[in-house]
Amino acid sequence: MYQWRKFEFFEEKLAGKCAIPEEVEGKIECCSSGRGKVVIGCDDGTVSFLDRGLNFSYGFQAHSSSALFLQQLKQRNYLVTIGEDQQITPQQSAMCLKVFDLDRMQSEGSSSSTTSPDCIGILRIFTNQFPEAKITSFLVLEEAPPILLIAIGLDNGSIYCIKGDIARERITRFKLQVENLSDKSQSSVTGLGFRVDGQALQLFAVTPSSVSLFILQNQPSNTRRQTLDQIGSNVNGVAMSDRSELIIGRPEAVYFYEVDGRGPCWAFEGEKKFLGWFRGYLLCVIADQRNSSNTFNIYDLKNRLIAHSLVVKEVSHMLCEWGNIILIMADKSALCIGEKDMESKLDMLFKKNLYTVAINLVQSQQADAAATAEVLRKYGDHLYSKQDYDEAMAQYIHTIGHLEPSYVIQKFLDAQRIYNLTNYLEKLHEKGLASKDHTTLLLNCYTKLKDVDKLNVFIKSEDGIGEHKFDVETAIRVCRATNYHEHAMYVAKKAGKHEWYLKILLEDLGRYEEALQYISSLEPSQAGATVEEYGKILIEHKPVETIEILIRLCTEDGESSKRGAANGAYLTMLPSPVDFLNIFIHHLPWLMDFLEKYTNKVKDSPAQVEIHNTLLELYLSNDLSFPSLSQASNGEGLNPRARSGAAATSRSQSNGKLFADTKDSNKEKDRLEKQEKGLRLLKSAWPSDLEHPLYDVDLAIILCEMNAFKEGLLYLYEKLKLYKEVIACYMQAHDHGGLIACCKRLGDSGKGGDPTLWADLLKYFGELGEDCSKEVKEVLTYIERDDILPPIIVLQTLSRNPCLTLSVIKDYIARKLEQESKLIEEDRRAIEKYQETTSAMRNEIQDLRTNARIFQLSKCTACTFTLDLPAVHFMCIHSFHQRCLGDNEKECPVCAPEYKSVLETKRSLEQNSKDQDRFFQQVKSSKDGFSVIAEYFGKGVISKTTNGTTGAS
């Protein structure tokens, strides 16, 4: 034990000024500390309180004779004392236990200015049931307030226990017997210690000849005792550690006791006059028999060192308060010792290069991780300076998480210690603290060392949740750069980095079949994303297989068996073919093949408009000329390398010309085939039940016009009811037969056609400048049938063509003149009839105004009985009994309905005159608009003036 190193981790405080103040006059019998003060009890019964500087704060007379024991409580500001007071009767003992409330002060007398704490409880220790004996030890345990458990050890081996609320005198007394020996020097209780373990309460009791443990129960009679050892200790040689271990000092060693018996012992020789425990340190005042001196040692048992050693005078009491150790000497001098800060202790160790001691010290005192790492760093620097690189790296590894990795990496890069650097980087990755640069460096170390085994372990290592402990993309890039493609592929596949896995397969290894198989194994969303990125390469080398994968992705083939029957919601979740158009940018035939296969499988795709637009452009655009897949299969087409190879073969000039002619013929055939497909698509994508087609009409028209696709253009114009544009196409092509046939089909108003097409057709022939008599006669037949144009307009239109003679329209003019003559005659007869009717009405009106009307009816028009008075006669020559009319005497019941009908018609016409849109619509839709205007005038709708106009005139 003498081999332990000695250090000065403690220092003396209050140097030269530390002593018990003069106000403490009596001999010090007992001491206690707590709640920021030191309490001293003297043989004159006084109790004094000292502050942090050991200055006298105040004192009071606790007992009349002497204060033998005291304890400052921690939870409440109470002081418990045992001392001698005046003996009231010879039968009663003078020994009393008192409890003082230090928060409640009272004056000691009416004329005195001194105060003392309130004594809230006084208790006689010895009674008839508890005979008097000498008190040798005293201990108080604070249970749940206000309960106290007080243990008093006696020289006869007994322990008197008092439990309860002393202030209210609600207490329970019971007795524990350690041993009953005739020799009191061997049976006196020299030390006590409470141990609280959850709900269990235990009491250690020490005598010079034994160590006992009492297991206390709620009922004192159930308390059990067990002997832990047959050797004990004297007074002041007992203490309790912060782990509730009993510490006993004997001349040969210091022993630790648990509830199950003796534990470890430390062979510190010498008589132990005082034992204590302070912040994990063992405090011992050891008497040296050789020179009659006392040595105060502070032991660090964990690190096996003496933290402080000091020769002292005779010590009477030892306390711990304010983070200091206070030794009170027999001559009332005092020594205050405090622990140095961690930085000072470490500096002391560093100067002596005692790094292992420093490391153990910071770990044992539970210093923060950063402080421990700093000590390890300094130790590592020390070993590095001695070129002990392996041990230095071992220390640096322990600093991971606190020390910047670049500090260590730079050192070992300079020293070219690649093995040590590799070890450090591995540990860095194991703790998940490596950056991308660290991963790059570690992989480079493996490749430089050509250590494939370690590389395999690193690449294939995983943590608990299946994720790699390094940056995946960095590892892949480094492995690719160093040609470790298999390792890069393993990491990419394990981490789900599909794009990297495919990049390696396609760009580095050229394994297209394997890439396609891998894509097929992915989820649809992931497979779609990878095909979008690498589809160009796949289409170039494996077009058929790639298109098969795309079809599975975009249709139900790949997932219908897993998800059940497809529905509209499911289709919207599938990838759209539009997303993959860009991969076919240099392979348009395969794009057409892909879209055709897709449209054959899926009839109601959400992207069918975009798909149809793309197909139309592929079918109709002459600029996007490319051979069909059937030609490609015959060796004529898709691969430019194959074509260039074929052209490079040695052939004769005549064979080359034949090949060129065949090629042009095939090209024309392919163009016509695509136009035929385009026309089928235009028709099939515009069903009769849809108002709008499943493609962009404007785009389709532009494509047809740009590529001179007449059939498609005619179909679109006809579907859009742009009949004038339809006949314009025929006019541009000078197709007279088709033009007239088109007008027959589209100009029939009875079938919803536009009759004005015949007028446009007549105008076309009038301006043609060539003989077209046959066509004009046929056109005039339909114009005459539907009365489309007046004869004068027909004459003016055809007069512009110098190649037409009057004989072309002679029959037409004759028929029209005869028809007009008939109409004029019918109009003349109608005018005469209206004039006669108007004249008769005017004469009747004049007669009513100027002549009297004689009523000669003798019967009532309503009831047909003889007319008698009172009677009512109307100007319409109808007569009625007044009783037959009832309340309605103002109008004739017979003529009123007809008159009301006329008024209603007039009112309706006036209302319609305000509806201008209806008027113009009738004028526009009528064959003879003038007749509509004349009808409005005839009904008096338009000619009627407003009130404002009348007033103004």
Side-chain angles (χ1 to χ4, degrees), residues 642-681:
R643 292 201 303 270
S644 62
T649 59
S650 58
R651 296 183 180 179
S652 63
Q653 186 174 1
S654 59
N655 289 339
K657 183 178 180 181
L658 178 61
F659 175 77
D661 293 340
T662 304
K663 183 176 179 181
D664 292 340
S665 174
N666 290 335
K667 184 176 180 180
E668 179 64 20
K669 180 181 178 181
D670 183 70
R671 186 182 68 83
L672 295 176
E673 181 183 344
K674 289 194 296 180
Q675 285 187 350
E676 184 180 351
K677 288 182 179 180
L679 184 59
R680 285 202 302 267
L681 178 60

mmCIF file of all heavy atoms in Angstrom, residues 642-681:
data_model
loop_
_atom_site.group_PDB
_atom_site.id
_atom_site.type_symbol
_atom_site.label_atom_id
_atom_site.label_comp_id
_atom_site.label_asym_id
_atom_site.label_seq_id
_atom_site.Cartn_x
_atom_site.Cartn_y
_atom_site.Cartn_z
ATOM 1 N N ALA A 642 -25.443 -0.570 -89.241
ATOM 2 C CA ALA A 642 -25.670 -1.659 -90.194
ATOM 3 C C ALA A 642 -25.756 -1.112 -91.611
ATOM 4 O O ALA A 642 -25.253 -1.705 -92.569
ATOM 5 C CB ALA A 642 -26.935 -2.420 -89.825
ATOM 6 N N ARG A 643 -26.446 0.035 -91.747
ATOM 7 C CA ARG A 643 -26.577 0.634 -93.071
ATOM 8 C C ARG A 643 -25.230 1.067 -93.611
ATOM 9 O O ARG A 643 -24.897 0.873 -94.774
ATOM 10 C CB ARG A 643 -27.542 1.824 -93.008
ATOM 11 C CG ARG A 643 -28.968 1.429 -92.733
ATOM 12 C CD ARG A 643 -29.927 2.513 -93.191
ATOM 13 N NE ARG A 643 -29.614 3.781 -92.548
ATOM 14 C CZ ARG A 643 -30.143 4.158 -91.395
ATOM 15 N NH1 ARG A 643 -30.981 3.363 -90.781
ATOM 16 N NH2 ARG A 643 -29.841 5.322 -90.885
ATOM 17 N N SER A 644 -24.431 1.690 -92.742
ATOM 18 C CA SER A 644 -23.123 2.136 -93.215
ATOM 19 C C SER A 644 -22.248 0.936 -93.580
ATOM 20 O O SER A 644 -21.473 0.973 -94.539
ATOM 21 C CB SER A 644 -22.453 2.977 -92.129
ATOM 22 O OG SER A 644 -22.255 2.194 -90.980
ATOM 23 N N GLY A 645 -22.418 -0.152 -92.813
ATOM 24 C CA GLY A 645 -21.646 -1.350 -93.146
ATOM 25 C C GLY A 645 -22.067 -1.935 -94.480
ATOM 26 O O GLY A 645 -21.251 -2.409 -95.270
ATOM 27 N N ALA A 646 -23.371 -1.899 -94.724
ATOM 28 C CA ALA A 646 -23.848 -2.436 -96.003
ATOM 29 C C ALA A 646 -23.399 -1.572 -97.165
ATOM 30 O O ALA A 646 -23.051 -2.071 -98.255
ATOM 31 C CB ALA A 646 -25.374 -2.536 -95.973
ATOM 32 N N ALA A 647 -23.414 -0.257 -96.918
ATOM 33 C CA ALA A 647 -22.989 0.646 -98.002
ATOM 34 C C ALA A 647 -21.514 0.495 -98.291
ATOM 35 O O ALA A 647 -21.039 0.798 -99.410
ATOM 36 C CB ALA A 647 -23.329 2.077 -97.643
ATOM 37 N N ALA A 648 -20.747 0.076 -97.280
ATOM 38 C CA ALA A 648 -19.298 -0.029 -97.464
ATOM 39 C C ALA A 648 -18.889 -1.269 -98.231
ATOM 40 O O ALA A 648 -17.726 -1.431 -98.598
ATOM 41 C CB ALA A 648 -18.610 -0.012 -96.103
ATOM 42 N N THR A 649 -19.789 -2.187 -98.421
ATOM 43 C CA THR A 649 -19.441 -3.404 -99.174
ATOM 44 C C THR A 649 -19.213 -3.056 -100.635
ATOM 45 O O THR A 649 -19.825 -2.123 -101.195
ATOM 46 C CB THR A 649 -20.577 -4.432 -99.028
ATOM 47 O OG1 THR A 649 -21.773 -3.848 -99.530
ATOM 48 C CG2 THR A 649 -20.756 -4.843 -97.590
ATOM 49 N N SER A 650 -18.372 -3.836 -101.190
ATOM 50 C CA SER A 650 -18.005 -3.579 -102.600
ATOM 51 C C SER A 650 -19.094 -4.102 -103.520
ATOM 52 O O SER A 650 -19.377 -5.296 -103.562
ATOM 53 C CB SER A 650 -16.673 -4.273 -102.903
ATOM 54 O OG SER A 650 -16.786 -5.656 -102.640
ATOM 55 N N ARG A 651 -19.777 -3.151 -104.137
ATOM 56 C CA ARG A 651 -20.816 -3.502 -105.113
ATOM 57 C C ARG A 651 -20.559 -2.714 -106.392
ATOM 58 O O ARG A 651 -19.921 -1.658 -106.361
ATOM 59 C CB ARG A 651 -22.209 -3.173 -104.572
ATOM 60 C CG ARG A 651 -22.585 -3.992 -103.338
ATOM 61 C CD ARG A 651 -23.993 -3.671 -102.903
ATOM 62 N NE ARG A 651 -24.379 -4.434 -101.734
ATOM 63 C CZ ARG A 651 -25.565 -4.323 -101.150
ATOM 64 N NH1 ARG A 651 -26.457 -3.484 -101.632
ATOM 65 N NH2 ARG A 651 -25.844 -5.056 -100.092
ATOM 66 N N SER A 652 -21.148 -3.152 -107.376
ATOM 67 C CA SER A 652 -21.017 -2.452 -108.660
ATOM 68 C C SER A 652 -21.923 -1.236 -108.687
ATOM 69 O O SER A 652 -22.833 -1.124 -107.885
ATOM 70 C CB SER A 652 -21.377 -3.394 -109.811
ATOM 71 O OG SER A 652 -22.733 -3.777 -109.706
ATOM 72 N N GLN A 653 -21.675 -0.337 -109.628
ATOM 73 C CA GLN A 653 -22.445 0.890 -109.721
ATOM 74 C C GLN A 653 -23.895 0.607 -110.082
ATOM 75 O O GLN A 653 -24.816 1.246 -109.583
ATOM 76 C CB GLN A 653 -21.811 1.809 -110.760
ATOM 77 C CG GLN A 653 -22.473 3.186 -110.822
ATOM 78 C CD GLN A 653 -21.741 4.128 -111.762
ATOM 79 O OE1 GLN A 653 -20.755 3.714 -112.365
ATOM 80 N NE2 GLN A 653 -22.203 5.347 -111.875
ATOM 81 N N SER A 654 -24.100 -0.376 -110.933
ATOM 82 C CA SER A 654 -25.474 -0.697 -111.332
ATOM 83 C C SER A 654 -26.268 -1.264 -110.169
ATOM 84 O O SER A 654 -27.440 -0.941 -109.977
ATOM 85 C CB SER A 654 -25.463 -1.697 -112.488
ATOM 86 O OG SER A 654 -24.786 -2.886 -112.097
ATOM 87 N N ASN A 655 -25.606 -2.098 -109.389
ATOM 88 C CA ASN A 655 -26.287 -2.634 -108.202
ATOM 89 C C ASN A 655 -26.629 -1.518 -107.228
ATOM 90 O O ASN A 655 -27.658 -1.548 -106.578
ATOM 91 C CB ASN A 655 -25.423 -3.691 -107.516
ATOM 92 C CG ASN A 655 -25.333 -4.969 -108.333
ATOM 93 O OD1 ASN A 655 -26.185 -5.223 -109.175
ATOM 94 N ND2 ASN A 655 -24.290 -5.755 -108.086
ATOM 95 N N GLY A 656 -25.746 -0.512 -107.124
ATOM 96 C CA GLY A 656 -26.011 0.623 -106.238
ATOM 97 C C GLY A 656 -27.216 1.418 -106.699
ATOM 98 O O GLY A 656 -28.033 1.855 -105.886
ATOM 99 N N LYS A 657 -27.363 1.578 -108.025
ATOM 100 C CA LYS A 657 -28.519 2.322 -108.542
ATOM 101 C C LYS A 657 -29.807 1.551 -108.271
ATOM 102 O O LYS A 657 -30.835 2.123 -107.881
ATOM 103 C CB LYS A 657 -28.341 2.560 -110.038
ATOM 104 C CG LYS A 657 -29.460 3.379 -110.663
ATOM 105 C CD LYS A 657 -29.179 3.618 -112.130
ATOM 106 C CE LYS A 657 -30.315 4.444 -112.742
ATOM 107 N NZ LYS A 657 -30.084 4.678 -114.191
ATOM 108 N N LEU A 658 -29.742 0.244 -108.473
ATOM 109 C CA LEU A 658 -30.911 -0.581 -108.195
ATOM 110 C C LEU A 658 -31.304 -0.504 -106.726
ATOM 111 O O LEU A 658 -32.484 -0.419 -106.378
ATOM 112 C CB LEU A 658 -30.622 -2.032 -108.600
ATOM 113 C CG LEU A 658 -31.750 -3.053 -108.334
ATOM 114 C CD1 LEU A 658 -32.994 -2.665 -109.129
ATOM 115 C CD2 LEU A 658 -31.288 -4.454 -108.687
ATOM 116 N N PHE A 659 -30.302 -0.489 -105.896
ATOM 117 C CA PHE A 659 -30.575 -0.383 -104.438
ATOM 118 C C PHE A 659 -31.228 0.954 -104.112
ATOM 119 O O PHE A 659 -32.154 1.034 -103.297
ATOM 120 C CB PHE A 659 -29.257 -0.551 -103.681
ATOM 121 C CG PHE A 659 -29.391 -0.353 -102.207
ATOM 122 C CD1 PHE A 659 -29.944 -1.337 -101.406
ATOM 123 C CD2 PHE A 659 -28.989 0.837 -101.617
ATOM 124 C CE1 PHE A 659 -30.070 -1.148 -100.052
ATOM 125 C CE2 PHE A 659 -29.118 1.029 -100.275
ATOM 126 C CZ PHE A 659 -29.658 0.031 -99.480
ATOM 127 N N ALA A 660 -30.744 2.035 -104.753
ATOM 128 C CA ALA A 660 -31.321 3.359 -104.492
ATOM 129 C C ALA A 660 -32.770 3.418 -104.942
ATOM 130 O O ALA A 660 -33.638 3.974 -104.259
ATOM 131 C CB ALA A 660 -30.489 4.436 -105.184
ATOM 132 N N ASP A 661 -33.073 2.846 -106.127
ATOM 133 C CA ASP A 661 -34.456 2.857 -106.601
ATOM 134 C C ASP A 661 -35.363 2.073 -105.667
ATOM 135 O O ASP A 661 -36.485 2.483 -105.359
ATOM 136 C CB ASP A 661 -34.523 2.251 -108.010
ATOM 137 C CG ASP A 661 -33.817 3.126 -109.043
ATOM 138 O OD1 ASP A 661 -33.630 4.331 -108.739
ATOM 139 O OD2 ASP A 661 -33.445 2.607 -110.115
ATOM 140 N N THR A 662 -34.863 0.934 -105.239
ATOM 141 C CA THR A 662 -35.647 0.118 -104.308
ATOM 142 C C THR A 662 -35.883 0.857 -102.992
ATOM 143 O O THR A 662 -36.974 0.811 -102.413
ATOM 144 C CB THR A 662 -34.924 -1.213 -104.033
ATOM 145 O OG1 THR A 662 -34.671 -1.873 -105.266
ATOM 146 C CG2 THR A 662 -35.762 -2.106 -103.134
ATOM 147 N N LYS A 663 -34.868 1.566 -102.569
ATOM 148 C CA LYS A 663 -34.973 2.316 -101.322
ATOM 149 C C LYS A 663 -36.014 3.417 -101.445
ATOM 150 O O LYS A 663 -36.840 3.621 -100.546
ATOM 151 C CB LYS A 663 -33.606 2.901 -100.962
ATOM 152 C CG LYS A 663 -33.573 3.646 -99.659
ATOM 153 C CD LYS A 663 -32.166 4.098 -99.343
ATOM 154 C CE LYS A 663 -32.156 4.863 -98.024
ATOM 155 N NZ LYS A 663 -30.791 5.335 -97.688
ATOM 156 N N ASP A 664 -36.012 4.169 -102.576
ATOM 157 C CA ASP A 664 -36.999 5.233 -102.780
ATOM 158 C C ASP A 664 -38.400 4.646 -102.843
ATOM 159 O O ASP A 664 -39.365 5.220 -102.311
ATOM 160 C CB ASP A 664 -36.691 5.993 -104.070
ATOM 161 C CG ASP A 664 -35.401 6.794 -103.957
ATOM 162 O OD1 ASP A 664 -34.983 7.053 -102.804
ATOM 163 O OD2 ASP A 664 -34.816 7.139 -104.995
ATOM 164 N N SER A 665 -38.522 3.496 -103.497
ATOM 165 C CA SER A 665 -39.839 2.856 -103.602
ATOM 166 C C SER A 665 -40.341 2.444 -102.222
ATOM 167 O O SER A 665 -41.510 2.649 -101.884
ATOM 168 C CB SER A 665 -39.738 1.639 -104.524
ATOM 169 O OG SER A 665 -40.954 0.922 -104.540
ATOM 170 N N ASN A 666 -39.473 1.872 -101.453
ATOM 171 C CA ASN A 666 -39.865 1.467 -100.100
ATOM 172 C C ASN A 666 -40.209 2.682 -99.238
ATOM 173 O O ASN A 666 -41.101 2.626 -98.381
ATOM 174 C CB ASN A 666 -38.746 0.667 -99.451
ATOM 175 C CG ASN A 666 -38.575 -0.700 -100.073
ATOM 176 O OD1 ASN A 666 -39.518 -1.248 -100.641
ATOM 177 N ND2 ASN A 666 -37.367 -1.242 -99.994
ATOM 178 N N LYS A 667 -39.467 3.761 -99.446
ATOM 179 C CA LYS A 667 -39.725 4.965 -98.671
ATOM 180 C C LYS A 667 -41.111 5.518 -98.969
ATOM 181 O O LYS A 667 -41.851 5.910 -98.064
ATOM 182 C CB LYS A 667 -38.650 6.001 -98.982
ATOM 183 C CG LYS A 667 -38.759 7.276 -98.169
ATOM 184 C CD LYS A 667 -37.603 8.212 -98.471
ATOM 185 C CE LYS A 667 -37.712 9.494 -97.653
ATOM 186 N NZ LYS A 667 -36.587 10.424 -97.950
ATOM 187 N N GLU A 668 -41.479 5.547 -100.282
ATOM 188 C CA GLU A 668 -42.797 6.027 -100.660
ATOM 189 C C GLU A 668 -43.883 5.102 -100.127
ATOM 190 O O GLU A 668 -44.939 5.552 -99.634
ATOM 191 C CB GLU A 668 -42.892 6.137 -102.184
ATOM 192 C CG GLU A 668 -44.238 6.612 -102.699
ATOM 193 C CD GLU A 668 -44.574 8.029 -102.248
ATOM 194 O OE1 GLU A 668 -43.628 8.780 -101.876
ATOM 195 O OE2 GLU A 668 -45.766 8.390 -102.245
ATOM 196 N N LYS A 669 -43.630 3.811 -100.205
ATOM 197 C CA LYS A 669 -44.599 2.844 -99.681
ATOM 198 C C LYS A 669 -44.784 3.022 -98.180
ATOM 199 O O LYS A 669 -45.914 2.953 -97.671
ATOM 200 C CB LYS A 669 -44.108 1.436 -100.003
ATOM 201 C CG LYS A 669 -45.033 0.336 -99.521
ATOM 202 C CD LYS A 669 -44.473 -1.031 -99.863
ATOM 203 C CE LYS A 669 -45.383 -2.139 -99.341
ATOM 204 N NZ LYS A 669 -44.826 -3.485 -99.638
ATOM 205 N N ASP A 670 -43.692 3.272 -97.503
ATOM 206 C CA ASP A 670 -43.772 3.455 -96.062
ATOM 207 C C ASP A 670 -44.528 4.737 -95.722
ATOM 208 O O ASP A 670 -45.314 4.770 -94.770
ATOM 209 C CB ASP A 670 -42.355 3.503 -95.484
ATOM 210 C CG ASP A 670 -42.376 3.619 -93.968
ATOM 211 O OD1 ASP A 670 -42.753 2.635 -93.310
ATOM 212 O OD2 ASP A 670 -42.029 4.710 -93.457
ATOM 213 N N ARG A 671 -44.327 5.786 -96.523
ATOM 214 C CA ARG A 671 -45.038 7.044 -96.273
ATOM 215 C C ARG A 671 -46.534 6.859 -96.434
ATOM 216 O O ARG A 671 -47.325 7.337 -95.607
ATOM 217 C CB ARG A 671 -44.519 8.113 -97.224
ATOM 218 C CG ARG A 671 -45.082 9.503 -96.958
ATOM 219 C CD ARG A 671 -44.567 10.505 -97.959
ATOM 220 N NE ARG A 671 -45.108 10.214 -99.299
ATOM 221 C CZ ARG A 671 -46.312 10.625 -99.705
ATOM 222 N NH1 ARG A 671 -47.095 11.329 -98.900
ATOM 223 N NH2 ARG A 671 -46.746 10.324 -100.923
ATOM 224 N N LEU A 672 -46.920 6.171 -97.483
ATOM 225 C CA LEU A 672 -48.343 5.936 -97.691
ATOM 226 C C LEU A 672 -48.932 5.064 -96.579
ATOM 227 O O LEU A 672 -50.069 5.276 -96.139
ATOM 228 C CB LEU A 672 -48.551 5.261 -99.053
ATOM 229 C CG LEU A 672 -48.177 6.112 -100.272
ATOM 230 C CD1 LEU A 672 -48.325 5.298 -101.541
ATOM 231 C CD2 LEU A 672 -49.022 7.373 -100.325
ATOM 232 N N GLU A 673 -48.175 4.094 -96.139
ATOM 233 C CA GLU A 673 -48.652 3.235 -95.055
ATOM 234 C C GLU A 673 -48.859 4.035 -93.768
ATOM 235 O O GLU A 673 -49.854 3.851 -93.070
ATOM 236 C CB GLU A 673 -47.631 2.119 -94.829
ATOM 237 C CG GLU A 673 -48.020 1.137 -93.730
ATOM 238 C CD GLU A 673 -46.962 0.079 -93.486
ATOM 239 O OE1 GLU A 673 -46.065 -0.090 -94.359
ATOM 240 O OE2 GLU A 673 -47.015 -0.567 -92.431
ATOM 241 N N LYS A 674 -47.933 4.935 -93.507
ATOM 242 C CA LYS A 674 -48.076 5.753 -92.293
ATOM 243 C C LYS A 674 -49.244 6.717 -92.420
ATOM 244 O O LYS A 674 -49.972 6.956 -91.450
ATOM 245 C CB LYS A 674 -46.783 6.519 -92.027
ATOM 246 C CG LYS A 674 -45.634 5.637 -91.562
ATOM 247 C CD LYS A 674 -44.482 6.443 -90.996
ATOM 248 C CE LYS A 674 -43.870 7.323 -92.056
ATOM 249 N NZ LYS A 674 -42.744 8.114 -91.520
ATOM 250 N N GLN A 675 -49.472 7.277 -93.623
ATOM 251 C CA GLN A 675 -50.606 8.171 -93.798
ATOM 252 C C GLN A 675 -51.924 7.421 -93.621
ATOM 253 O O GLN A 675 -52.883 7.952 -93.055
ATOM 254 C CB GLN A 675 -50.543 8.817 -95.179
ATOM 255 C CG GLN A 675 -49.493 9.905 -95.298
ATOM 256 C CD GLN A 675 -49.572 10.649 -96.612
ATOM 257 O OE1 GLN A 675 -50.291 10.237 -97.531
ATOM 258 N NE2 GLN A 675 -48.834 11.746 -96.731
ATOM 259 N N GLU A 676 -51.936 6.195 -94.093
ATOM 260 C CA GLU A 676 -53.131 5.379 -93.885
ATOM 261 C C GLU A 676 -53.377 5.146 -92.392
ATOM 262 O O GLU A 676 -54.518 5.220 -91.911
ATOM 263 C CB GLU A 676 -52.965 4.047 -94.618
ATOM 264 C CG GLU A 676 -54.203 3.167 -94.548
ATOM 265 C CD GLU A 676 -54.007 1.852 -95.285
ATOM 266 O OE1 GLU A 676 -52.986 1.707 -95.990
ATOM 267 O OE2 GLU A 676 -54.876 0.971 -95.148
ATOM 268 N N LYS A 677 -52.315 4.863 -91.655
ATOM 269 C CA LYS A 677 -52.461 4.716 -90.194
ATOM 270 C C LYS A 677 -52.935 6.023 -89.567
ATOM 271 O O LYS A 677 -53.757 6.028 -88.639
ATOM 272 C CB LYS A 677 -51.123 4.309 -89.575
ATOM 273 C CG LYS A 677 -50.699 2.886 -89.861
ATOM 274 C CD LYS A 677 -49.390 2.583 -89.151
ATOM 275 C CE LYS A 677 -48.941 1.139 -89.392
ATOM 276 N NZ LYS A 677 -47.660 0.843 -88.698
ATOM 277 N N GLY A 678 -52.389 7.131 -90.069
ATOM 278 C CA GLY A 678 -52.793 8.422 -89.524
ATOM 279 C C GLY A 678 -54.261 8.697 -89.746
ATOM 280 O O GLY A 678 -54.955 9.197 -88.848
ATOM 281 N N LEU A 679 -54.778 8.372 -90.950
ATOM 282 C CA LEU A 679 -56.193 8.587 -91.220
ATOM 283 C C LEU A 679 -57.060 7.704 -90.338
ATOM 284 O O LEU A 679 -58.108 8.130 -89.834
ATOM 285 C CB LEU A 679 -56.471 8.316 -92.702
ATOM 286 C CG LEU A 679 -57.902 8.603 -93.169
ATOM 287 C CD1 LEU A 679 -58.259 10.061 -92.932
ATOM 288 C CD2 LEU A 679 -58.072 8.238 -94.643
ATOM 289 N N ARG A 680 -56.637 6.452 -90.151
ATOM 290 C CA ARG A 680 -57.399 5.563 -89.254
ATOM 291 C C ARG A 680 -57.428 6.113 -87.841
ATOM 292 O O ARG A 680 -58.454 6.039 -87.150
ATOM 293 C CB ARG A 680 -56.779 4.165 -89.261
ATOM 294 C CG ARG A 680 -57.074 3.362 -90.510
ATOM 295 C CD ARG A 680 -56.908 1.866 -90.256
ATOM 296 N NE ARG A 680 -55.569 1.540 -89.806
ATOM 297 C CZ ARG A 680 -54.572 1.176 -90.615
ATOM 298 N NH1 ARG A 680 -54.789 1.109 -91.932
ATOM 299 N NH2 ARG A 680 -53.378 0.880 -90.127
ATOM 300 N N LEU A 681 -56.305 6.668 -87.413
ATOM 301 C CA LEU A 681 -56.267 7.234 -86.063
ATOM 302 C C LEU A 681 -57.156 8.463 -85.961
ATOM 303 O O LEU A 681 -57.866 8.655 -84.961
ATOM 304 C CB LEU A 681 -54.821 7.597 -85.698
ATOM 305 C CG LEU A 681 -54.612 8.245 -84.324
ATOM 306 C CD1 LEU A 681 -55.097 7.313 -83.214
ATOM 307 C CD2 LEU A 681 -53.143 8.592 -84.097
#
